[in-house]
Amino acid sequence: MNGETRTWNRPHLLDLESLSAEEILAILDTARSLKEVSTRSIKKVPALRGKVCVNLFFEDSTRTKISFSLAAQRLSADVIDFSASTSSVSKGETLRDTARNIEAMGVDAIIIRHRSSGAPHLLSRNVRCSVINAGDGAHEHPTQGLLDLFTMREHFSNKQPTNAKPKLLTSFAGLHVAIVGDIANSRVARSNIHGLAKLNAKITLVGPATLIPNDLKKLYPNAINISHDLDSVLPTVDAVNMLRIQFERLTSAAFPSVREYSRLFGLTKERLAKARPNLLVLHPGPMNRGLEITTDVADGNNSAILQQVTNGLAVRMATLYLCVGANSSHRSEN
């Protein structure tokens, strides 16, 4: 595979902002090679046999937590689920002490989701095992960003002339992607922005002015545009990523009403009819059906939402495989 010429030397995956394009492609290439494991009659490989992974989740999660658990199990690692409500954290123990105590039991990887931005970075400086960021505050959700990139790469790599052999994209140059919705509170949006920009895609952020921080354009001024008019943007893009409105993070009224938001920024069948016929529709989940996306679009032919979930498992297998492997090599050398 193409990833044979790309190297990965990081023991942690904390964000996409610090990764190079080559490192991102190394994960995507590895995920592609591991994806077929899930199609086997025995869905397991011995790559991480004898390793132990802990899900350290301080926020609710369905897809991400199950996906990481399955990813570790398919690599033959042992998995432990941590419950913050029944742990010593509820008695006042610090995150650092919790992680170091868990590591002292012989853990090889900590997969952490936390409400505070920077929590995975803090752990990475205080433990020797691998740390994988499963979402930290409104900062980043790197594996979600990677699975979105994987889904787009897989989709657009297959859009070759019928007489040509499908060739994996090594650049997203020429692709235009819209990210729509609650960008201010979305760690998914930030990971997507970093990943897409590093792979040379054109990005348009769409939503109410109250939900798009203007300083985001400063991150990649040549790649990012901002719009508050979905109808004008939709016909120009190749893919659209519809974000959930994060009511739990909103501190004030960001828009007049749910009905008004849906009217202006919801992806409906009528809007989709004005887009390019092969528009790729993404959503990180969970969906607010009828708000940011209607059921007929979410379940329609343009939707890759369930494919994202399938690809998420492959991406998380690749992340664990690469990070734990790199960390084992580093520790053995020292």
Side-chain angles (χ1 to χ4, degrees), residues 95-111:
L95 174 63
R96 175 180 177 273
D97 285 339
T98 296
R100 293 187 71 179
N101 275 279
I102 290 173
E103 182 187 33
M105 299 177 194
V107 167
D108 299 282
I110 293 176
I111 302 151

Side-chain angles (χ1 to χ4, degrees), residues 108-133:
D108 299 282
I110 293 176
I111 302 151
I112 179 171
R113 169 170 285 196
H114 203 280
R115 65 184 67 86
S116 298
S117 298
H121 295 73
L122 172 68
L123 285 197
S124 71
R125 295 191 295 269
N126 286 279
V127 297
R128 296 185 65 210
C129 65
S130 293
V131 175
I132 312 294
N133 183 0

Side-chain angles (χ1 to χ4, degrees), residues 17 42-43 46 50 82 95 108 116 138 152 160 182 192 204 219 228 238-239 245 248 253 256 261 267 283 304 326:
E17 182 178 11
I42 299 176
K43 299 176 174 61
F82 171 92
L95 174 63
D108 299 282
S116 298
M152 285 183 268
Q160 307 286 338
D182 187 2
N192 268 270
T204 299
L219 289 173
H228 309 300
D238 302 290
I245 295 295
E248 71 276 14
Y261 179 88
L267 189 58
H283 194 299

Side-chain angles (χ1 to χ4, degrees), residues 1-170:
M1 65 180 182
N2 293 339
E4 289 174 354
T5 61
R6 300 187 177 101
T7 58
W8 177 271
N9 296 313
R10 295 176 182 258
H12 314 297
L13 178 65
L14 305 177
D15 52 47
L16 296 193
E17 182 178 11
S18 63
L19 300 189
S20 67
E22 287 297 298
E23 287 173 318
I24 290 172
L25 290 171
I27 297 177
L28 301 185
D29 287 343
T30 305
R32 182 171 180 263
S33 69
L34 289 171
K35 185 176 178 179
E36 63 87 21
V37 172
S38 295
T39 67
R40 300 178 183 179
S41 56
I42 299 176
K43 299 176 174 61
K44 243 179 194 185
V45 290
L48 294 184
R49 181 179 293 163
K51 303 296 184 181
V52 181
C53 301
V54 172
N55 284 325
L56 192 63
F57 278 54
F58 293 87
E59 286 186 320
D60 293 336
S61 170
T62 301
R63 279 161 299 278
T64 304
K65 190 173 184 179
I66 292 174
S67 184
F68 266 115
S69 294
L70 275 174
Q73 290 167 3
R74 298 216 167 149
L75 295 170
S76 299
D78 294 318
V79 183
I80 300 170
D81 283 330
F82 171 92
S83 175
S85 61
T86 58
S87 73
S88 294
V89 171
S90 62
K91 302 175 184 177
E93 185 174 68
T94 66
L95 174 63
R96 175 180 177 273
D97 285 339
T98 296
R100 293 187 71 179
N101 275 279
I102 290 173
E103 182 187 33
M105 299 177 194
V107 167
D108 299 282
I110 293 176
I111 302 151
I112 179 171
R113 169 170 285 196
H114 203 280
R115 65 184 67 86
S116 298
S117 298
H121 295 73
L122 172 68
L123 285 197
S124 71
R125 295 191 295 269
N126 286 279
V127 297
R128 296 185 65 210
C129 65
S130 293
V131 175
I132 312 294
N133 183 0
D136 61 326
H139 173 233
E140 276 209 49
H141 191 349
T143 58
Q144 180 67 47
L146 286 165
L147 74 88
D148 291 344
L149 294 173
F150 184 97
T151 302
M152 285 183 268
R153 189 191 195 204
E154 189 174 61
H155 177 81
F156 292 110
S157 291
N158 290 330
K159 300 300 179 184
Q160 307 286 338
T162 54
N163 60 345
K165 184 179 179 180
K167 184 178 180 182
L168 279 176
L169 297 177
T170 56

